[in-house]
């Protein structure tokens, strides 16, 4: 039946007017045909569905690349195919043109073929070496770029039998040298280059020949003089290698297997030796069951590549430049490629109307301490970096209120096999800033790239994935537990159930980047390509980041602003000054005095918005050595401290006093586990003077953190506890934390991912937890391990509450304050929302009301 899908088999009848023209049944009728254009008119009475949305279509042909680019630049064409790559990039970056790019894998294959029938055929050792020398992914991406999909097999994507998980494994230089040393074949070869290959991908041919030359293999290329498809067959007796391509005549894997390799009927039969494949090829085309056919074609692929006589190089990425006025256009891999019957076109807008997007530009001061040096999301270390880069990059899922994970770039996800497997389906309307469509390959690339990056602090959180440990340790190059099902569907398998695994994928460090991204190029704005509401236009590391609105953002109506500018290195006082002067659109991280002034300003106070933060400041006790190994002393200290008074004196009336390790909004948060204020406080002296050492970060020497530290230590002094501060710098601080010899540890803990596990396991697990050496315990470890595998959220909540009850009863630590994510905006700024999880502010919803 696939043969009958070809347009040449379409049903047509003569018009009956004496001409040679025919009539069809489609949604459009031919109106006129000229030498370089065809005009179509809408069929008012189509047999299927309603009439098309557009009244007419004019197709213009016989244009070269420069002419096509000129028509696109002038807005003369709504849909353009064939514009050269550099001009495409310029058009996509030009916001005035407002073009987007839609893509689909092409139903073709370009390949390297060895001639096995020639008397002096290239031997198996030399073939293996020549194939191994070519790292196909690297050479294709370097010399063709985004308009090619490196091929893992002959059968194209979206075709039955294509295996999206197939990958060629790299071969060592030693193995290549061994093959070359044992090869009796000549090192001087002749290669035929297909006409299309020569004229469209000359740079790739030259690069491949150059790589072979580096290994002493001399290949002379003979370019085909024309596009005659029989030219390759006529040269079968004179060439050793052929660079060629093939487009299937019909949408079936048979068009790429039987049609090419059958010893009697295949197009490449003059190059292929023997009839070993014939039986499988004939069986596959006769099989009626799709599942069985797929297995047969995958076996044929394996056998084709096992002999190293054909090396698939790439599938072309079909694409169209599309005006922003064109709606609902979709591109498919096979004919009919475009859904013209569903396409609509919005009316042109005046210049004044185009400005109404208006929103203006949002100016955001970024606190001192965040000197952003890279636009690589895998290198995120601080929450403010997450907030900044969250405007450019987006993850598969988001966690808007802490206890609930919702699909984002993924349209849906499902938990399978008792929490050991997670199935994701991606949205089909998401494109990257460079116009490329989001696919499952991009997700796989992102996860593997993150785990291979030794500078990433987040990568070990993905260790539960099957095969992740080997990738993290550098003993594997692929993530075994990631399986691509189709272009938009994939599964992630875990070694053991992890109840909160999906929450890990909400972290901005796991934001999806396109498969062509380079880990080393993250500092360059050209490499910072995501799917977010804004795209990078200017980046000065540590100083300034300028973003413009993404005109093809997948969430309709967003972003509302024209752009966002982040200015790094702002102190709390300078932020307040810039905000009051109107130079900053938004303000936070303020000193209590400055915040008190804003609270009394009626023009600003009404804009105040806050959410609980995923951050808790705690005082941990060394329960295993020193004076605080005595539980009675710890209980006396905790029972004598009025945490409410301590925090209010230091941070003012707006602080959130902590009564739990886990902040509000997450499973496990509960009131009453820790005493913070009230009649039960017993500020009684210990009965003897006690000197304790306290480890803390240098940040507790200034600002609000300094005030909290002073208020806490003053309260300790009232009950006879003198504190000796240990505040080492740099690497010495981390060494002191790991040694765990101090009596106390004052620190703030920011969730690595929006789940209570980040606080409970991340802090308390013996050995692995941040303070596990200070106050971890075996019975707490057992409860933690149970909570990590419990799929039922109510059970997890109860386990976390039980853990906190044990910690409170034994006085292992004392929570002090939960941070709050809060923002003030200028009177003219609209749309402020602050969320519990990163990114805290939805910058895509902010806009400037010019009437204010």
């Amino acid at each position: 039946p696939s043969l009958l899908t070809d347009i040449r088999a379409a049903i047509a009848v003569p018009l009956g007017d004496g001409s040679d023209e025919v009539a069809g049944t489609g949604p459009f009728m031919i109106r006129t045909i000229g030498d370089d254009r065809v005009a179509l008119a809408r069929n008012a009475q189509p047999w299927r569905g309603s009439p098309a949305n557009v009244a007419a279509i004019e197709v213009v042909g016989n244009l070269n690349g420069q002419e096509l680019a000129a028509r696109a630049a002038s807005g003369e064409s709504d849909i353009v195919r064939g514009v050269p790559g550099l001009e495409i990039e310029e058009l996509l970056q030009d916001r005035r043109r407002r073009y987007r790019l839609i893509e689909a894998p092409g139903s073709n294959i370009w390949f390297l073929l060895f001639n096995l029938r020639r008397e002096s055929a290239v031997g198996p050792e030399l073939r293996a070496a020549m194939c191994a020398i070519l790292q196909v992914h690297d050479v294709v991406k370097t010399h063709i770029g985004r308009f090619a999909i490196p091929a893992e097999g002959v059968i194209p994507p979206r075709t039955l039998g294509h295996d999206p998980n197939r990958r060629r494994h790299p071969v060592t230089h030693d193995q290549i040298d061994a093959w070359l040393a044992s090869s009796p074949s000549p090192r001087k070869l002749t290669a035929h280059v297909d006409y299309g290959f020569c004229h469209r991908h000359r740079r790739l041919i030259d690069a491949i020949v150059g790589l072979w030359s580096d290994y002493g293999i001399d290949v002379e290329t003979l370019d085909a003089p024309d596009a005659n498809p029989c030219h390759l067959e006529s040269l079968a007796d004179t060439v050793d290698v052929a660079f060629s391509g093939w487009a299937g005549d019909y949408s079936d894997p048979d068009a790429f297997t039987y049609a090419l390799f059958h010893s009697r009927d295949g197009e490449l039969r003059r190059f292929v030796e023997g009839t070993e494949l014939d039986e499988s090829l004939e069986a596959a085309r006769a099989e009626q069951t799709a599942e069985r056919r797929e297995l047969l074609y995958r076996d044929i692929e394996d056998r084709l590549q096992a002999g190293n006589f054909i090396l698939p190089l790439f599938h072309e990425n079909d694409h169209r430049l599309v005006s922003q006025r064109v709606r609902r256009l979709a591109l498919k891999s096979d004919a009919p490629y475009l859904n013209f019957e569903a396409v609509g076109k919005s009316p042109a807008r005046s210049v004044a109307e185009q400005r109404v997007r208006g929103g203006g530009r949002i100016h955001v001061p970024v606190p001192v301490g965040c000197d952003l040096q890279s636009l690589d999301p895998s290198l995120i270390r601080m929450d403010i970096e997450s907030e900044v880069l969250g405007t450019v990059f987006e993850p598969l899922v988001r966690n808007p209120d802490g206890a609930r994970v919702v699909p984002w770039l993924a349209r849906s996800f499902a938990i399978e096999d008792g929490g050991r497997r997670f199935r994701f389906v991606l949205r089909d309307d998401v494109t990257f800033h460079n116009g490329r469509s989001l696919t499952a390959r991009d997700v796989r690339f992102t996860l593997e790239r993150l785990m291979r990056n030794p500078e990433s602090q987040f990568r070990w959180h993905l260790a539960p994935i099957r095969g992740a440990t080997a990738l993290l340790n550098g003993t594997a190059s692929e993530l075994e537990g990631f399986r691509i099902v189709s272009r938009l569907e994939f599964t992630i398998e875990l070694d053991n159930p992890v109840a909160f695994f999906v929450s890990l994928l909400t972290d901005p460090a796991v934001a999806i980047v396109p498969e062509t991204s380079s880990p080393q190029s993250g500092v360059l704005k050209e490499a910072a390509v995501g799917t977010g509401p804004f795209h990078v236009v200017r980046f000065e590391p540590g100083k300034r980041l300028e973003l413009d609105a993404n005109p093809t953002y997948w969430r309709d109506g967003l972003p509302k602003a024209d752009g966002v500018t982040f200015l790094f290195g702002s102190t709390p006082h300078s932020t307040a000054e810039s905000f009051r002067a109107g130079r900053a659109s938004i303000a936070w991280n303020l000193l209590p005095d400055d915040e008190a002034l804003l609270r009394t300003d009626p023009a600003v106070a009404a804009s105040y918005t806050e959410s609980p933060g995923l951050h808790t400041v705690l005082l941990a006790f060394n329960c295993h050595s020193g004076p605080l190994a005595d539980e009675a002393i710890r209980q006396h200290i905790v029972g004598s401290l009025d945490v409410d008074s301590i925090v209010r004196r230091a941070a003012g009336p707006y602080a959130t006093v902590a009564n739990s390790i886990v902040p509000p909004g997450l499973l496990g948060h509960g009131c009453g586990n820790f005493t913070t204020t009230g009649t039960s406080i017993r500020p009684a002296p210990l009965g003897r003077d006690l000197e304790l050492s306290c480890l803390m970060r240098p940040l507790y020497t200034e600002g609000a953190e300094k005030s909290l530290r002073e208020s806490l230590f003053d309260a300790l002094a009232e009950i006879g506890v003198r504190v000796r501060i240990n505040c080492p710098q740099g690497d010495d601080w981390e060494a002191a934390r790991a040694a765990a010899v101090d009596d106390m540890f004052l620190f703030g803990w920011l969730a690595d991912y929006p789940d209570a596990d980040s606080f409970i396991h991340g802090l308390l697990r013996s050995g692995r937890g941040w303070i596990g050496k200070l106050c971890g315990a075996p019975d707490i470890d057992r409860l933690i391990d149970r909570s990590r595998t419990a799929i039922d959220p109510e059970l997890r909540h109860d386990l976390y509450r039980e853990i906190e009850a044990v910690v409170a009863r034994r006085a292992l630590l004392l929570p002090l304050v939960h941070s709050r994510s809060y923002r003030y905006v200028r009177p003219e700024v609209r749309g402020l929302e602050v969320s519990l999880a990163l990114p805290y502010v939805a910058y895509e919803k902010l806009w400037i009301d010019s009437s204010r």
Side-chain angles (χ1 to χ4, degrees), residues 427-442:
R427 298 182 61 91
D428 60 2
D429 55 354
V430 177
T431 59
F432 291 100
H433 297 147
N434 60 10
R436 273 204 53 234
S437 298
L438 171 69
T439 71
R441 290 175 62 102
D442 299 307

Side-chain angles (χ1 to χ4, degrees), residues 429-725:
D429 55 354
V430 177
T431 59
F432 291 100
H433 297 147
N434 60 10
R436 273 204 53 234
S437 298
L438 171 69
T439 71
R441 290 175 62 102
D442 299 307
V443 181
R444 180 178 67 183
F445 172 82
T446 297
L447 298 184
E448 291 182 345
R449 172 181 180 265
L450 172 68
M451 284 187 274
R452 281 196 294 260
N453 188 348
E455 296 182 23
S456 172
Q457 291 187 349
F458 190 83
R459 66 190 192 117
W460 283 98
H461 290 295
L462 300 180
I465 302 175
R466 183 163 58 84
T469 301
L471 189 60
L472 290 164
N473 291 329
T475 57
S477 60
E478 301 175 5
L479 185 57
E480 182 183 356
F482 191 100
R483 301 293 296 173
I484 296 176
V485 178
S486 67
R487 186 177 71 94
L488 297 176
E489 184 176 356
F490 61 91
T491 62
I492 298 177
E493 297 179 6
L494 311 183
D495 287 319
N496 297 292
V498 177
F500 56 88
F501 175 75
V502 178
S503 292
L504 297 175
L505 301 181
T506 66
D507 194 277
V510 200
I512 308 304
V513 296
E515 193 175 10
T516 54
S517 297
S518 169
Q520 286 76 35
S521 58
V523 75
L524 304 175
K525 75 176 183 66
E526 292 82 0
V529 175
T531 63
F534 298 93
H535 67 89
V536 178
V537 293
R538 181 186 177 192
F539 179 45
E540 299 177 41
K543 296 180 180 178
R544 183 184 187 95
L545 174 63
E546 291 186 17
L547 309 175
D548 275 358
N550 175 7
T552 61
Y553 189 45
W554 57 275
R555 296 164 67 200
D556 288 341
L558 300 175
K560 293 187 175 181
D562 292 323
V564 178
T565 298
F566 292 99
L567 300 170
F568 302 103
S570 180
T571 66
H573 186 63
S574 65
T575 295
E577 285 188 342
S578 297
F579 184 74
R580 286 192 289 264
R583 297 189 300 273
S585 308
I586 194 167
W588 86 105
N589 191 47
L590 301 172
L591 296 173
D593 290 346
D594 287 322
E595 187 174 359
L597 290 175
L598 292 182
R599 290 275 188 162
T600 59
D601 184 344
V604 174
S607 76
Y608 176 80
T609 305
E610 72 168 30
S611 173
L614 298 180
H615 180 272
T616 304
V617 179
L618 307 104
L619 179 67
F621 303 121
N622 191 337
C623 307
H624 300 300
S625 64
L628 297 185
D630 185 339
E631 183 175 322
I633 295 179
R634 299 198 306 269
Q635 291 178 339
H636 185 95
I637 291 174
V638 170
S640 300
L641 294 178
D642 185 345
V643 175
D644 188 275
S645 297
I646 292 170
V647 171
R648 300 299 180 198
R649 287 199 303 269
Y654 312 120
T656 303
V657 179
N659 51 28
S660 173
I661 301 171
V662 179
L666 297 183
L667 285 176
H669 174 75
C671 302
N673 282 331
F674 295 88
T675 300
T676 61
T677 186
T679 59
S680 62
I681 298 300
R682 306 182 306 277
L686 279 168
R688 62 186 178 92
D689 289 339
L690 187 65
E691 182 177 279
L692 301 175
S693 64
C694 183
L695 176 67
M696 62 185 191
R697 283 186 179 275
L699 65 87
Y700 285 94
T701 61
E702 59 181 339
E705 289 80 5
K706 177 183 178 182
S707 299
L708 178 63
R709 184 254 300 172
E710 290 177 343
S711 180
L712 172 64
F713 289 0
D714 287 346
L716 287 170
E718 291 179 9
I719 61 172
V721 177
R722 297 193 309 276
V723 179
R724 185 177 69 257
I725 295 174

Side-chain angles (χ1 to χ4, degrees), residues 247-308:
D249 290 327
Y250 46 98
S251 181
D252 192 87
D254 184 82
F256 294 90
T257 52
Y258 186 97
L260 287 175
F261 303 109
H262 194 273
S263 64
R264 183 184 66 250
D265 302 322
E267 292 288 331
L268 304 178
R269 60 187 179 277
R270 294 286 311 276
F271 277 67
V272 179
E273 185 177 43
T275 61
E276 292 84 359
L277 282 175
D278 286 359
E279 184 177 351
S280 295
L281 294 170
E282 292 165 1
R285 68 177 354 211
E287 176 61 48
Q288 298 299 306
T289 305
E291 292 80 2
R292 176 62 181 160
R293 289 192 79 211
E294 181 158 38
L295 292 175
L296 286 168
Y297 284 120
R298 291 192 178 185
D299 178 66
I300 290 169
E301 284 270 31
D302 292 339
R303 296 170 64 185
L304 283 172
Q305 296 185 46
N308 284 313

